[in-house]
Structures are given as structure tokens and as C-alpha cells.
Amino acid sequence: MWEAAEIGRSASSARDKYLDVSTLVLGRQIMTLKHADSVGGAPDAAAVRRQLERMMVSAQFKANERRRAFLEYVVEEALAGRADQIKGFSVAVAALNRDENFDPSTDPVVRLEARRLRREMEHYYLTDGFADPVVINIPKGSYVPTFRIADTAASSGDRDGPIRPALVNHPRRIVAVMLAVALFAVAAIGATLAYREYAQTDAPNATTSAAWGSIPVVAVLPFEPLGESAFTKQAASGLAQDVITDLTHISGLRVLAHNSTSKFSGDSDLNAIQTALGASHILRGSLQSMDAGYRLNVSLIDTKSQAQIWAGRFDYTTELRFDTQTEIAKRISQSLSIKLLPGQSDRIELSRWKRRDAQMLYSQGLTVMHPPSDPTRIDAAIGMLKRVIALEPKTAHGYGGLAFVEAHRLWYGHALDTRESHSMIQRLADRALSIDPGNVRALVGLSLSAMIRGDSIESVDFARKAVEAQPSSGYANAYLAVALIFARHPEMAITSVQVALHLDPANPRRPYLNILAVALFHAGDYRGSIDAYQEGLERGGPYGPTMMAYHAAAHAALGEEQQEQEILRRLIGATAEPSSFTVEGWLRRASNDERYIAPLLAELRKAEALE
């Protein structure tokens, strides 16, 4: 892995080399495809069925039962001459257990399963199936499969099993290896430059355009309570937080986290807010108590022109508070010329709280669980969330929150029965998602469970679904970064965690800088990783044993032995108390690739030697 300094000095020349290598790779890919088209052709039905059987029994083809049924259905329909009947509806009913009322416009299951199936087929043909005689493909934009004889089989005929020619004799494997080398080079450079752009920027707004492009970024300031009533103050604060939560579901904009906006007030200087948060628009308002309820006045300001582009007044009773929030979210969306996607209003409704006490208890439970290395905190959080379920048994929050906490109990080594813990996460998440298919905590819980089981594809899929459900959730974007890191895609994780940092730029307690540091470490940018840790420490962010191990390993990679030893001594002190949590266990549950975590394991051995 390249040294960070080396990357910085040779970024320009490496980019040039990457262009040369990528041109060569592209040329070889085209030659390979032309060769396949000229000598391959269409296989007969028997050959296709034998190929389908190979895929189904391969250890590398890990499609779940639904995706296996999907593939088998479309292949058999195509071989039977009914390709024109392969549509989203027919796939859903025949292969995915949907009934005759299935509506593809509101249920994306076929699109999601097709996307996952294409990824697993691509992985299969790069591993166990790289020399198979027949290639089955499902082109994007269609569910109708295509079949062709692979270039490796053209001269040797169909075979009953996969062949294993030498690497140098296989053009497709050569292309894959060369492409991997080229992508590694550009990813390492990109990782370094991406963090340097973030780290060298004093204010988040300087990179807002790069992070969001033309997407509006809204900062909802605390609503000003008019009058001295403590109840009005509480209602104003709660309503602002609820509006933020509603807006996180809207794909066409980004809303900044409450923890970053709460330090400002409605009369704060707009330029100061824009500089600190990078918001393109600010929503501010006031709440006044009335005999029949409340009057909420809100206005939306363009920070660049400082012009008011929309204002609204809402008179409502406490019982109609949630309807008022929905109306505010819709009006903001309309004022920014953004159309809500089909079903988005429904998802906002599904995520509603019915009781304020349950909402507060939920928030407290998810706060008290940190750090998860302390099992007593996990137990306390579980107790609170069980109470949330008792208060609101028909909403998704308590079940999703419990799945999320249970996943952390499993990851941090506190679960007594691993199998039962995985099963519990699945049951709780299923219950939450049956009520609200976009519940972020449930989806993240499933992502962590899949990661611990070693299914990185499924882990990333669940995390991506969490981001799709709530694109403005810093947590969702941060946990997508975690899934990508341990799926061995750290360069993609860097982008994801930077989104989280832009969504919640002023909150020091979120571990986003730590996640960024881990991603940079695995991308080979050790200096950038150290800088991220240092910034987090200066901001008063969390810093536990796992981060110490990474921090020490980054210094070790740069040959900075003194700094490494200092951190290792702190690590020894941080892990002195007997506990079910160990850094090594945490690492091994996150990644089953010994080589990927070897530098961290080496640091743990050094720490043991110092004791």
C-alpha cells in the first residue's frame, strides 16, 4: 500500500499513468468482447440450463432464495420463447411471492432484487464462473436474460463443470486484474485529495457545492416561542425537530441535523449561519400560544440573496400538530420547485410519533447506548426502548431502535448467544419494516447483522436502503460508510461519511470523523487518517480503544514509532478493565478478511507486549 507522502508527491504522474492503464484496459475489454461476438454465438437450451445449474450450486453465487427464483424464472421463460411476457409484474407474482394486487409503481421489489442479482452474477463470473462456457446476463433496463457462449469455451466446447486455465491465458481475468490495479491507484489518489479538500477548508459551505451540486440545503433554526410559557417553549423546540425529521425523507433536498442548527436562533446573522453550516436556505419561525391552540409563522430565506422566498401561517390545535408538520414540509418542497416522489408523503406519515414521551424516551435510549463497549449502557438502552414499544406498539420506532441496539450488542461482543442475537435482530427489524419500510434504525441493524455474518453485499444493500429512505440522515450515511469500509470499498466510504459530515457539521459528539479516519486508513492515506483523528480530538469527539488501534497503526505505517508507542500505552489503559468487549473481537466480527485487518491485529500484539 502506498505511503501518503508518496501519493501526494506523485498524484499528477499517477493520474497520467492511470489514464494510460485505463485506455489499455478499455482496449483489451473491447477486443475481448469482439472476440466473443465473433467466435461465440448463442448456446442451445441444454447448455444454458447446465450453466444455470452451475450457478445455483456455486459457493460464490450467494443469491438468496428470492433472487435464485428470479433468475430461474426469467431464464426458463426466455428459453420457452416467452421473453415478451417477462415484465416486472410477472416476475413479482411468479418468483417473488407477490399477489395479483402488486403495483410496481409503489413497490420497488423487482428493481431492487434485479440490481442485487446483477451484482452477484457479475461477482460470480469474476470468481468461480470466470471460465464457464456460457454467460447468462440480465441487461440493465430489462428483466429479459441474454445468453452467449463465452470466449474461453469457443475452442473447447461446452463442459459439465468450470475450467481453470492459467491466468495468462484468460483475457477476461487479465482485464479484471489490470482494472483492479488501475482503480486502486485512482482510488488511493482520490481518497487523499478528497480528505485534503475537506480538511483544508475552514467552513463547510466552501465544499457545499461539491457535496450537493444544485440540491437545496435547508437549515431549520429553532422556532422562537412567543411568551413566557414553558409549555410553548417545549412545543416550539419539539415542532422544529419534527419538521427536520420530516424533511429528511425528501429526496430532492438536504436538511441539516438539529444538533448543528440548535445553537443558532431565529435572529442570528444569516451570513454567520451560511458560513458555519453551508446552508443554501434557512427556515425560521415563531410559535404563539392561543386559546384554541397555537399559531406558527414560518419563512424560508435564500441565504445568497437573503430574500424571503416563501412564508406561511398555520393555526392548529395540539391534536393537529402532525398534519401541520406535513403541510409545512410540502410547502417548503413546493417553494423550492421540488416534487415529492411517489409514496414519500406516505413514508413521512409512517414515521410519525403519536406520543411525545415515547419520542423523548427513544432519543434518550439511543443516546445512552454510547459507547457500546460498555454493556451496562446497552442494557439501559434496551430497557428504555422496550418501554417505547409499550407506549407505542403500533409504530416502528421502538422495534427498529431495539434491532439497532441489539446489533451493537452483538458487534461489541456482549451477546451471549450469537445465533439468537442475529435472529432477534431479524425479528425486530421485520416488525419495524412491516410498519414503516423506510425505518432507518431497522435497516442499519440488518446491515450490521449481515456484516457480522460476513455477507458484505447484503450489508451494503441494507445500508443503501437506509440512505434511500432518509437521504438527509447523517446516521444512515455514516453507517453506509461503515458497511462500505468492511466490504473493502474504503474509497466509496470516504464519500459517504463526508455526506454525513456535511449534514451535521457542528456536532462534535458524532463519530463521523472517526469513521472518516478508518476509511482513509484502509484506503492507504495514513496521514489523512491521523489528521482526521486529530481534528476529532480537538473538537472533543469520542475516542475509544478501536480508534486508538487504528490511530497507532496509521503512525506505524508512516514509521512514526514514538507517536505509535504513546497511543499504544493509552490503549493499554483503556482496555485494562475486564470486559466482554475486545478490540480484536470487534475487528474480526466486522471483517473476516485477515489481511484487511492485519495491521490492526499487529498493533494489538504490540500493546500486549508492552504490558
Side-chain angles (χ1 to χ4, degrees), residues 310-330:
W310 170 74
R313 187 179 74 183
F314 301 87
D315 293 334
Y316 68 98
T317 63
T318 303
E319 292 75 17
L320 297 178
R321 173 170 56 87
F322 294 131
D323 294 332
T324 302
Q325 293 167 216
T326 301
E327 181 62 24
I328 293 171
K330 289 179 179 178

Side-chain angles (χ1 to χ4, degrees), residues 3 34 56 60 74 80 140 159 164 177 252 255 283 306 310 321 340 343 433 446 457 497 507 523 554 579 607:
E3 298 288 344
K34 285 183 177 179
M56 292 298 185
Q60 289 294 331
V74 297
K140 291 183 179 179
R159 292 174 171 80
R164 292 288 181 270
V177 172
V255 58
L283 182 72
Q306 299 198 3
W310 170 74
R321 173 170 56 87
L340 291 175
L433 297 174
L446 290 173
I457 294 176
V497 73
N507 182 7
S579 172

Side-chain angles (χ1 to χ4, degrees), residues 16 25 93 108 123 341 400 481 538 556-557 572 608:
D16 293 339
V25 169
V93 173
H123 181 256
L341 298 177
E538 290 173 357
I572 294 168
E608 291 174 358

Side-chain angles (χ1 to χ4, degrees), residues 128-440:
D128 273 6
F130 80 89
D132 280 8
V134 174
V135 176
I136 301 176
N137 185 37
I138 300 178
K140 291 183 179 179
S142 171
Y143 305 128
V144 179
T146 61
F147 318 115
R148 68 175 175 84
I149 297 174
D151 50 323
T152 56
S155 61
S156 56
D158 195 7
R159 292 174 171 80
D160 292 332
I163 58 176
R164 292 288 181 270
L167 174 62
V168 293
N169 293 327
H170 199 287
R172 186 161 59 204
R173 180 54 68 89
I174 293 172
V175 169
V177 172
M178 293 182 66
L179 182 59
V181 172
L183 289 177
F184 177 83
V186 74
I189 296 168
T192 303
L193 297 181
Y195 177 69
R196 297 279 163 76
E197 176 187 9
Y198 173 83
Q200 293 173 4
T201 302
D202 293 330
N205 72 306
T207 55
T208 295
S209 59
W212 309 121
S214 60
I215 297 177
V217 181
V218 180
V220 180
L221 302 186
F223 294 155
E224 181 183 359
L226 301 181
E228 297 300 322
S229 168
F231 194 78
T232 302
K233 293 179 181 178
Q234 183 180 6
S237 174
L239 187 58
Q241 293 184 53
D242 292 341
V243 170
I244 290 174
T245 300
D246 283 356
L247 294 180
T248 63
H249 294 272
I250 298 179
S251 298
L253 58 81
R254 296 294 178 267
V255 58
L256 299 172
H258 172 260
N259 289 315
S260 286
T261 60
S262 59
K263 67 177 184 178
F264 296 96
S265 64
D267 58 358
S268 296
D269 180 72
L270 293 180
N271 289 328
I273 298 172
Q274 204 274 339
T275 299
L277 302 178
S280 62
H281 296 81
I282 291 172
L283 182 72
R284 58 187 180 186
S286 61
L287 187 70
Q288 178 182 0
S289 60
M290 303 171 63
D291 292 339
Y294 294 97
R295 169 166 292 172
L296 175 67
N297 289 289
V298 290
S299 59
L300 189 66
I301 312 295
D302 183 306
T303 58
K304 185 175 182 180
S305 65
Q306 299 198 3
Q308 177 177 290
I309 61 175
W310 170 74
R313 187 179 74 183
F314 301 87
D315 293 334
Y316 68 98
T317 63
T318 303
E319 292 75 17
L320 297 178
R321 173 170 56 87
F322 294 131
D323 294 332
T324 302
Q325 293 167 216
T326 301
E327 181 62 24
I328 293 171
K330 289 179 179 178
R331 292 286 297 275
I332 294 173
S333 175
Q334 292 167 357
S335 71
L336 297 175
S337 301
I338 300 165
K339 294 182 179 179
L340 291 175
L341 298 177
Q344 274 202 6
S345 293
D346 294 338
R347 288 201 296 273
I348 292 174
E349 292 297 328
L350 291 172
S351 67
R352 294 245 178 261
W353 285 94
K354 309 300 182 194
R355 298 178 54 142
R356 176 64 67 182
D357 56 349
Q359 183 180 10
M360 294 176 65
L361 196 59
Y362 173 86
S363 177
Q364 291 167 0
L366 293 177
T367 299
V368 79
M369 68 170 281
H370 295 288
S373 55
D374 183 349
T376 61
R377 288 183 170 273
I378 294 290
D379 291 341
I382 288 174
M384 290 180 180
L385 291 166
K386 285 181 177 178
R387 178 59 181 160
V388 171
I389 291 175
L391 292 171
E392 286 205 9
K394 294 184 179 180
T395 59
H397 303 292
Y399 304 105
L402 268 179
F404 177 82
V405 174
E406 183 64 30
H408 282 78
R409 178 158 71 172
L410 177 61
W411 188 11
Y412 281 76
H414 308 315
L416 298 178
D417 187 330
T418 299
R419 185 186 297 272
E420 174 57 27
S421 186
H422 279 296
S423 178
M424 185 183 300
I425 294 165
Q426 186 70 56
R427 292 195 303 270
L428 290 165
D430 285 347
R431 182 68 183 273
L433 297 174
S434 70
I435 301 170
D436 176 8
N439 185 273
V440 166

